[in-house]
Amino acid sequence: MKVKGSIFINLIKVIKSDKSGIFDKYLTAQDRGIINQKIYASFWYPYETYKNCLNAIYDVYGKKNPSAAKEWGRTGCKQAMTNMYSAFISDGDPMSFINSYGMIHKNFYDFGELEVIEEGKNQAVLKFTGLDAQCVPIFYMLQGWLEEGIALCGAQNIKGVFLTKSWEGHPETSMRFTWV
């Protein structure tokens, strides 16, 4: 499993900026070796190192608060979707963004499958399988990312709620998104 450097770079910057050693217990020798390299946005990197960095930051700075991870997702979406991936944003058509998210996801992660179920004009359920249930913050980041993408398409009053959670033993993670 691998992740694209473009989503890994910001985590590395946070880890490297800390000189106190607070993240040391989260990182393996292999992680440190990767972190000390130059990270290229277009290269693929080991998911395990990404996961260790993300969990470290979520524990230390996010205080294991899902709202913090959701905000990171929103920020990441805004950065990506208003620049390199702006073609995925269609004003007035949030469902188009949702239906395209599987392609977007594959630009950043080489794992995970997505099923989109349209439940109405302004409502959809997304079912994720094949994601790591041991990395809880990634799910909240995805929730924030999707909420922000829907907002960038002009939607308002966006609500994303989890219906099932793989980290609680369910075989998939599913989220329902509604908007006006």
Side-chain angles (χ1 to χ4, degrees), residues 18 29 40 46 104 135 172:
D18 178 79
Y40 296 95
I104 297 167
C135 188
E172 67 190 22

Side-chain angles (χ1 to χ4, degrees), residues 120-137:
K121 182 178 180 220
N122 296 334
Q123 183 169 304
V125 170
L126 284 76
K127 293 182 179 183
F128 290 91
T129 55
L131 297 179
D132 181 4
Q134 301 303 309
C135 188
V136 174

Side-chain angles (χ1 to χ4, degrees), residues 12-24 60-61:
I12 299 299
K13 287 178 182 176
V14 171
I15 297 287
K16 284 179 142 182
S17 71
D18 178 79
K19 306 301 180 206
S20 73
I22 198 163
F23 295 119
D24 289 350
V60 173
Y61 290 143

Side-chain angles (χ1 to χ4, degrees), residues 47-89:
Y47 167 75
E48 198 65 30
T49 299
Y50 171 83
K51 171 181 147 177
N52 291 343
C53 291
L54 180 56
N55 279 330
I57 294 167
Y58 183 65
D59 287 1
V60 173
Y61 290 143
K63 308 272 189 245
K64 296 185 179 185
N65 183 342
S67 295
K70 276 180 66 172
E71 190 56 38
W72 301 336
R74 285 188 185 102
T75 301
C77 179
K78 191 176 288 184
Q79 288 172 344
M81 295 297 118
T82 57
N83 289 308
M84 184 179 240
Y85 298 97
S86 62
F88 289 104
I89 300 300

Side-chain angles (χ1 to χ4, degrees), residues 82-151:
T82 57
N83 289 308
M84 184 179 240
Y85 298 97
S86 62
F88 289 104
I89 300 300
S90 180
D91 192 34
D93 192 3
M95 196 62 77
S96 174
F97 173 78
I98 289 173
N99 285 320
S100 299
Y101 182 74
M103 288 186 295
I104 297 167
H105 183 89
K106 291 189 183 306
N107 281 297
F108 300 113
Y109 304 95
D110 75 346
F111 58 91
E113 297 298 322
L114 172 65
E115 177 186 359
V116 175
I117 302 165
E118 292 185 37
E119 294 186 322
K121 182 178 180 220
N122 296 334
Q123 183 169 304
V125 170
L126 284 76
K127 293 182 179 183
F128 290 91
T129 55
L131 297 179
D132 181 4
Q134 301 303 309
C135 188
V136 174
I138 201 169
F139 296 99
Y140 291 107
M141 286 175 56
L142 289 172
Q143 182 185 28
W145 181 288
L146 287 156
E147 288 175 353
E148 184 64 28
I150 293 167

